[in-house]
Amino acid sequence: MSQTVPDWSVLMASCPSRTSLARIANKWTAMAVSVLGNGRARFGDLKTQLDGISGKVLTETLRDLERDGLITRHVYAEVPPRVEYELTELGLTLHEPLLALCRWAEKHIAEVLINREAYDAR
Amino acid sequence: MSQTVPDWSVLMASCPSRTSLARIANKWTAMAVSVLGNGRARFGDLKTQLDGISGKVLTETLRDLERDGLITRHVYAEVPPRVEYELTELGLTLHEPLLALCRWAEKHIAEVLINREAYDAR
DNA sequence: TCCACTAGTTACGTTGAGGTAATTGGTTAC
DNA sequence: GTAACCAATTACCTCAACGTAACTAGTGGA
């Protein structure tokens, strides 16, 4: 008998998995990983597709994802510079769950808007 | 010919679905909805289970979820006061995706920690 | 010669998220 | 009758997140 599954739990404040949840349960992360699911993309492309994101926040988001091993950074020695980002294997396993979140928001927003109106009218 | 699916997209900054994504793609939301998937719970229970959350943030999180129609609030006219929170039908459809996110964080945290160490050592 | 192009980085100011602690209301205990 | 108690909310303050804008590098083109 051996317990091979470590008892991580995001519910415990001191559990490292909490830091990972905080990173992935994030608006920009969900959008970035969703887009990168279609294949590698340049920094500029991501900035265009993630409408409204600032360069600073995109840089930080991508660096954090790279640090956690969810994406890889491909730098080309060209002028002007070209950098492409790509989901790793680990990142790929996160693509479907995060895409599901984006799809949920789009699918149910009409109902949510009605609920908000009703709530605010009370 | 009719286009029944509205073309919402979280990628557009002005799309309302973006506000919904911002709400659900959130650490505390993911944890709260995951816990509430086990059945209705009192405020105090949630505060205990969502280890580390402050009363203020829990209140705000729950109020926002109620506003969007993801949970309902049951108030009992007792002393001391008792309030229970419960997922709505809409909230239930979000339980699995958000639980998946929590599970992902717990399942892959070991690998993530290794990646972080490697990155920081560069 | 000087500007554009790309992927950043940095400085600075503002906004918002979050924690701590006091407060409310009504009932029980002394 | 007044002090204690509990669930829940609010007031206040702090700090981190975010946006804007300026700046970097090196080459190619007008």
Side-chain angles (χ1 to χ4, degrees):
Chain A
M1 290 302 166
S2 67
Q3 176 73 26
T4 56
V5 179
D7 45 350
W8 305 113
S9 171
V10 293
L11 292 180
M12 297 174 55
S14 60
C15 179
S17 66
R18 172 76 69 89
T19 67
S20 185
L21 178 65
R23 171 119 310 132
I24 64 179
N26 168 277
K27 181 179 60 174
W28 295 125
T29 297
M31 292 170 61
V33 171
S34 293
V35 167
L36 287 174
N38 302 325
R40 53 163 67 186
R42 302 181 60 168
F43 182 89
D45 294 336
L46 288 171
K47 189 164 182 329
T48 302
Q49 291 197 62
L50 274 58
D51 186 29
I53 197 171
S54 71
K56 184 194 171 206
V57 171
L58 180 55
T59 297
E60 289 168 354
T61 301
L62 292 172
R63 218 200 330 264
D64 287 343
L65 290 177
E66 189 195 1
R67 188 169 100 101
D68 281 8
L70 300 175
I71 63 177
T72 48
R73 193 164 172 270
H74 303 279
V75 183
Y76 295 85
E78 297 177 2
V79 170
R82 184 159 63 103
V83 179
E84 291 184 351
Y85 295 91
E86 187 182 21
L87 288 182
T88 61
E89 262 190 55
L90 181 62
L92 264 174
T93 67
L94 196 56
H95 176 247
E96 189 236 286
L98 288 184
L99 185 60
L101 230 52
C102 293
R103 291 285 167 271
W104 190 98
E106 292 163 351
K107 184 177 178 185
H108 296 98
I109 182 58
E111 188 175 351
V112 166
L113 287 177
I114 292 173
N115 290 333
R116 286 184 191 171
E117 247 182 276
Y119 184 93
D120 293 342
R122 297 185 331 183
Chain B
M1 291 300 171
S2 67
Q3 176 72 26
T4 55
V5 180
D7 44 352
W8 305 114
S9 171
V10 293
L11 292 179
M12 298 176 53
S14 61
C15 181
S17 66
R18 173 77 69 90
T19 66
S20 185
L21 177 65
R23 173 119 309 133
I24 64 179
N26 169 276
K27 180 180 59 174
W28 296 123
T29 297
M31 292 170 61
V33 171
S34 293
V35 167
L36 287 174
N38 302 325
R40 52 164 68 187
R42 302 181 62 167
F43 182 91
D45 294 335
L46 287 170
K47 190 162 180 335
T48 302
Q49 292 197 63
L50 273 56
D51 185 29
I53 197 170
S54 70
K56 184 202 169 201
V57 170
L58 181 55
T59 296
E60 289 169 355
T61 301
L62 292 173
R63 222 205 320 272
D64 287 344
L65 291 177
E66 188 195 1
R67 189 168 99 101
D68 282 8
L70 299 176
I71 63 176
T72 49
R73 193 164 174 271
H74 303 279
V75 184
Y76 296 85
E78 297 177 1
V79 168
R82 182 159 66 102
V83 178
E84 290 185 352
Y85 296 90
E86 187 182 21
L87 288 181
T88 61
E89 263 189 55
L90 182 61
L92 264 175
T93 67
L94 197 54
H95 176 247
E96 189 238 285
L98 288 184
L99 185 62
L101 230 52
C102 294
R103 292 286 167 270
W104 190 97
E106 292 162 352
K107 184 176 178 185
H108 299 283
I109 182 58
E111 188 175 351
V112 166
L113 287 177
I114 292 173
N115 290 334
R116 286 184 190 170
E117 246 181 276
Y119 184 93
D120 293 342
R122 298 187 329 184

Short mmCIF file of all heavy atoms in Angstrom, two decimals, chain B residues 79-109:
data_model
loop_
_atom_site.label_atom_id
_atom_site.label_comp_id
_atom_site.label_asym_id
_atom_site.label_seq_id
_atom_site.Cartn_x
_atom_site.Cartn_y
_atom_site.Cartn_z
N VAL B 79 -31.81 33.68 15.69
CA VAL B 79 -30.76 34.34 16.44
C VAL B 79 -29.94 33.28 17.15
O VAL B 79 -30.49 32.45 17.85
CB VAL B 79 -31.34 35.31 17.49
CG1 VAL B 79 -30.24 35.74 18.43
CG2 VAL B 79 -31.97 36.51 16.82
N PRO B 80 -28.61 33.30 16.90
CA PRO B 80 -27.88 34.22 16.00
C PRO B 80 -28.23 33.97 14.54
O PRO B 80 -28.68 32.88 14.20
CB PRO B 80 -26.42 33.88 16.29
CG PRO B 80 -26.43 32.53 16.86
CD PRO B 80 -27.72 32.34 17.55
N PRO B 81 -28.05 34.97 13.72
CA PRO B 81 -28.48 34.89 12.32
C PRO B 81 -27.84 33.73 11.58
O PRO B 81 -26.73 33.30 11.89
CB PRO B 81 -28.03 36.22 11.74
CG PRO B 81 -27.08 36.80 12.70
CD PRO B 81 -27.42 36.27 14.02
N ARG B 82 -28.57 33.21 10.59
CA ARG B 82 -28.05 32.11 9.78
C ARG B 82 -28.36 32.39 8.32
O ARG B 82 -29.49 32.73 7.97
CB ARG B 82 -28.69 30.79 10.22
CG ARG B 82 -28.19 29.59 9.47
CD ARG B 82 -28.44 28.30 10.26
NE ARG B 82 -29.85 28.01 10.40
CZ ARG B 82 -30.49 27.10 9.65
NH1 ARG B 82 -29.84 26.42 8.75
NH2 ARG B 82 -31.77 26.88 9.83
N VAL B 83 -27.36 32.29 7.49
CA VAL B 83 -27.52 32.51 6.05
C VAL B 83 -26.82 31.37 5.31
O VAL B 83 -25.69 31.04 5.62
CB VAL B 83 -26.91 33.86 5.61
CG1 VAL B 83 -27.05 34.05 4.11
CG2 VAL B 83 -27.56 35.02 6.35
N GLU B 84 -27.54 30.80 4.36
CA GLU B 84 -26.94 29.72 3.57
C GLU B 84 -26.86 30.11 2.11
O GLU B 84 -27.74 30.80 1.59
CB GLU B 84 -27.76 28.44 3.74
CG GLU B 84 -27.64 27.84 5.12
CD GLU B 84 -28.36 26.52 5.24
OE1 GLU B 84 -29.06 26.13 4.30
OE2 GLU B 84 -28.21 25.87 6.28
N TYR B 85 -25.82 29.65 1.46
CA TYR B 85 -25.61 29.92 0.04
C TYR B 85 -25.69 28.62 -0.74
O TYR B 85 -25.24 27.57 -0.27
CB TYR B 85 -24.27 30.60 -0.18
CG TYR B 85 -24.19 31.96 0.47
CD1 TYR B 85 -23.73 32.11 1.78
CD2 TYR B 85 -24.61 33.09 -0.21
CE1 TYR B 85 -23.67 33.36 2.37
CE2 TYR B 85 -24.56 34.35 0.38
CZ TYR B 85 -24.09 34.47 1.66
OH TYR B 85 -24.04 35.70 2.27
N GLU B 86 -26.26 28.73 -1.96
CA GLU B 86 -26.49 27.52 -2.74
C GLU B 86 -26.32 27.83 -4.22
O GLU B 86 -26.74 28.91 -4.70
CB GLU B 86 -27.93 27.04 -2.49
CG GLU B 86 -28.25 25.70 -3.11
CD GLU B 86 -29.71 25.29 -2.86
OE1 GLU B 86 -30.53 26.19 -2.58
OE2 GLU B 86 -30.00 24.09 -2.96
N LEU B 87 -25.72 26.92 -4.95
CA LEU B 87 -25.58 27.11 -6.39
C LEU B 87 -26.94 27.09 -7.06
O LEU B 87 -27.80 26.27 -6.72
CB LEU B 87 -24.70 26.01 -7.00
CG LEU B 87 -23.20 26.06 -6.72
CD1 LEU B 87 -22.51 24.91 -7.45
CD2 LEU B 87 -22.60 27.38 -7.15
N THR B 88 -27.16 27.98 -8.02
CA THR B 88 -28.36 27.92 -8.85
C THR B 88 -28.12 26.90 -9.97
O THR B 88 -27.03 26.32 -10.07
CB THR B 88 -28.64 29.28 -9.49
OG1 THR B 88 -27.52 29.63 -10.31
CG2 THR B 88 -28.85 30.35 -8.43
N GLU B 89 -29.12 26.72 -10.82
CA GLU B 89 -28.92 25.85 -11.99
C GLU B 89 -27.78 26.37 -12.85
O GLU B 89 -26.93 25.62 -13.32
CB GLU B 89 -30.21 25.79 -12.82
CG GLU B 89 -31.07 24.58 -12.53
CD GLU B 89 -32.21 24.45 -13.53
OE1 GLU B 89 -31.92 24.44 -14.74
OE2 GLU B 89 -33.37 24.38 -13.08
N LEU B 90 -27.79 27.69 -13.03
CA LEU B 90 -26.72 28.31 -13.82
C LEU B 90 -25.36 28.09 -13.15
O LEU B 90 -24.38 27.75 -13.82
CB LEU B 90 -27.00 29.81 -13.97
CG LEU B 90 -26.00 30.61 -14.81
CD1 LEU B 90 -25.95 30.10 -16.25
CD2 LEU B 90 -26.34 32.10 -14.79
N GLY B 91 -25.34 28.27 -11.86
CA GLY B 91 -24.10 28.07 -11.12
C GLY B 91 -23.60 26.64 -11.22
O GLY B 91 -22.39 26.39 -11.26
N LEU B 92 -24.53 25.72 -11.25
CA LEU B 92 -24.16 24.30 -11.36
C LEU B 92 -23.41 24.02 -12.66
O LEU B 92 -22.50 23.19 -12.69
CB LEU B 92 -25.42 23.43 -11.28
CG LEU B 92 -25.75 22.86 -9.91
CD1 LEU B 92 -27.08 22.13 -9.93
CD2 LEU B 92 -24.65 21.94 -9.42
N THR B 93 -23.80 24.71 -13.73
CA THR B 93 -23.12 24.47 -15.01
C THR B 93 -21.67 24.96 -14.98
O THR B 93 -20.87 24.61 -15.84
CB THR B 93 -23.84 25.20 -16.17
OG1 THR B 93 -23.70 26.62 -15.99
CG2 THR B 93 -25.30 24.84 -16.22
N LEU B 94 -21.37 25.77 -13.97
CA LEU B 94 -20.01 26.29 -13.85
C LEU B 94 -19.18 25.46 -12.89
O LEU B 94 -17.95 25.59 -12.85
CB LEU B 94 -20.08 27.75 -13.36
CG LEU B 94 -18.84 28.61 -13.54
CD1 LEU B 94 -18.36 28.61 -14.97
CD2 LEU B 94 -19.12 30.02 -13.05
N HIS B 95 -19.85 24.61 -12.13
CA HIS B 95 -19.14 23.86 -11.10
C HIS B 95 -18.05 22.97 -11.67
O HIS B 95 -16.91 23.00 -11.22
CB HIS B 95 -20.13 23.01 -10.29
CG HIS B 95 -19.48 22.13 -9.29
ND1 HIS B 95 -19.47 20.76 -9.39
CD2 HIS B 95 -18.76 22.43 -8.19
CE1 HIS B 95 -18.79 20.26 -8.37
NE2 HIS B 95 -18.36 21.24 -7.62
N GLU B 96 -18.38 22.21 -12.69
CA GLU B 96 -17.41 21.27 -13.25
C GLU B 96 -16.19 21.99 -13.85
O GLU B 96 -15.04 21.62 -13.53
CB GLU B 96 -18.10 20.37 -14.28
CG GLU B 96 -17.23 19.23 -14.77
CD GLU B 96 -17.07 19.29 -16.27
OE1 GLU B 96 -18.02 18.95 -16.98
OE2 GLU B 96 -15.98 19.71 -16.73
N PRO B 97 -16.40 23.02 -14.68
CA PRO B 97 -15.23 23.72 -15.23
C PRO B 97 -14.32 24.32 -14.15
O PRO B 97 -13.10 24.24 -14.26
CB PRO B 97 -15.86 24.82 -16.08
CG PRO B 97 -17.21 24.32 -16.44
CD PRO B 97 -17.66 23.49 -15.28
N LEU B 98 -14.92 24.89 -13.11
CA LEU B 98 -14.09 25.52 -12.08
C LEU B 98 -13.42 24.48 -11.18
O LEU B 98 -12.28 24.67 -10.75
CB LEU B 98 -14.93 26.50 -11.25
CG LEU B 98 -15.32 27.77 -11.99
CD1 LEU B 98 -16.05 28.74 -11.09
CD2 LEU B 98 -14.08 28.45 -12.58
N LEU B 99 -14.15 23.39 -10.92
CA LEU B 99 -13.53 22.31 -10.15
C LEU B 99 -12.34 21.74 -10.93
O LEU B 99 -11.29 21.43 -10.35
CB LEU B 99 -14.56 21.21 -9.87
CG LEU B 99 -14.08 20.07 -8.99
CD1 LEU B 99 -13.70 20.58 -7.61
CD2 LEU B 99 -15.15 18.98 -8.88
N ALA B 100 -12.50 21.66 -12.25
CA ALA B 100 -11.41 21.17 -13.11
C ALA B 100 -10.17 22.04 -12.94
O ALA B 100 -9.04 21.53 -12.92
CB ALA B 100 -11.85 21.15 -14.57
N LEU B 101 -10.38 23.33 -12.82
CA LEU B 101 -9.26 24.25 -12.65
C LEU B 101 -8.54 24.00 -11.32
O LEU B 101 -7.30 23.96 -11.26
CB LEU B 101 -9.78 25.69 -12.70
CG LEU B 101 -9.07 26.64 -13.65
CD1 LEU B 101 -8.97 26.05 -15.04
CD2 LEU B 101 -9.75 27.99 -13.67
N CYS B 102 -9.32 23.84 -10.25
CA CYS B 102 -8.73 23.55 -8.94
C CYS B 102 -7.96 22.23 -8.99
O CYS B 102 -6.83 22.14 -8.49
CB CYS B 102 -9.83 23.49 -7.87
SG CYS B 102 -10.65 25.06 -7.56
N ARG B 103 -8.57 21.24 -9.61
CA ARG B 103 -7.92 19.93 -9.70
C ARG B 103 -6.63 20.00 -10.51
O ARG B 103 -5.63 19.35 -10.19
CB ARG B 103 -8.88 18.91 -10.33
CG ARG B 103 -10.07 18.56 -9.49
CD ARG B 103 -9.69 17.66 -8.33
NE ARG B 103 -10.77 17.57 -7.37
CZ ARG B 103 -10.91 18.39 -6.34
NH1 ARG B 103 -10.02 19.33 -6.11
NH2 ARG B 103 -11.92 18.25 -5.50
N TRP B 104 -6.66 20.81 -11.57
CA TRP B 104 -5.46 20.96 -12.40
C TRP B 104 -4.32 21.53 -11.56
O TRP B 104 -3.19 21.04 -11.61
CB TRP B 104 -5.75 21.89 -13.59
CG TRP B 104 -4.64 21.90 -14.60
CD1 TRP B 104 -4.56 21.18 -15.76
CD2 TRP B 104 -3.41 22.66 -14.54
NE1 TRP B 104 -3.38 21.44 -16.42
CE2 TRP B 104 -2.66 22.34 -15.69
CE3 TRP B 104 -2.88 23.56 -13.61
CZ2 TRP B 104 -1.42 22.90 -15.95
CZ3 TRP B 104 -1.63 24.12 -13.86
CH2 TRP B 104 -0.90 23.79 -15.01
N ALA B 105 -4.64 22.56 -10.78
CA ALA B 105 -3.62 23.20 -9.97
C ALA B 105 -3.00 22.19 -8.99
O ALA B 105 -1.78 22.18 -8.78
CB ALA B 105 -4.21 24.39 -9.22
N GLU B 106 -3.84 21.36 -8.41
CA GLU B 106 -3.35 20.39 -7.44
C GLU B 106 -2.57 19.27 -8.11
O GLU B 106 -1.54 18.81 -7.61
CB GLU B 106 -4.54 19.80 -6.66
CG GLU B 106 -5.22 20.81 -5.74
CD GLU B 106 -6.62 20.40 -5.30
OE1 GLU B 106 -7.13 19.39 -5.83
OE2 GLU B 106 -7.20 21.09 -4.45
N LYS B 107 -3.04 18.86 -9.28
CA LYS B 107 -2.42 17.74 -9.98
C LYS B 107 -1.04 18.09 -10.53
O LYS B 107 -0.14 17.25 -10.55
CB LYS B 107 -3.34 17.29 -11.13
CG LYS B 107 -2.85 16.07 -11.89
CD LYS B 107 -3.87 15.64 -12.95
CE LYS B 107 -3.38 14.45 -13.74
NZ LYS B 107 -4.31 14.09 -14.86
N HIS B 108 -0.87 19.33 -10.99
CA HIS B 108 0.35 19.70 -11.69
C HIS B 108 1.29 20.59 -10.89
O HIS B 108 2.30 21.04 -11.43
CB HIS B 108 -0.01 20.38 -13.01
CG HIS B 108 -0.79 19.52 -13.96
ND1 HIS B 108 -0.23 18.52 -14.72
CD2 HIS B 108 -2.12 19.48 -14.24
CE1 HIS B 108 -1.16 17.93 -15.45
NE2 HIS B 108 -2.32 18.49 -15.17
N ILE B 109 0.95 20.86 -9.63
CA ILE B 109 1.76 21.81 -8.88
C ILE B 109 3.21 21.33 -8.74
O ILE B 109 4.15 22.14 -8.78
CB ILE B 109 1.15 22.12 -7.49
CG1 ILE B 109 2.00 23.15 -6.77
CG2 ILE B 109 0.98 20.86 -6.68
CD1 ILE B 109 2.19 24.47 -7.50
#
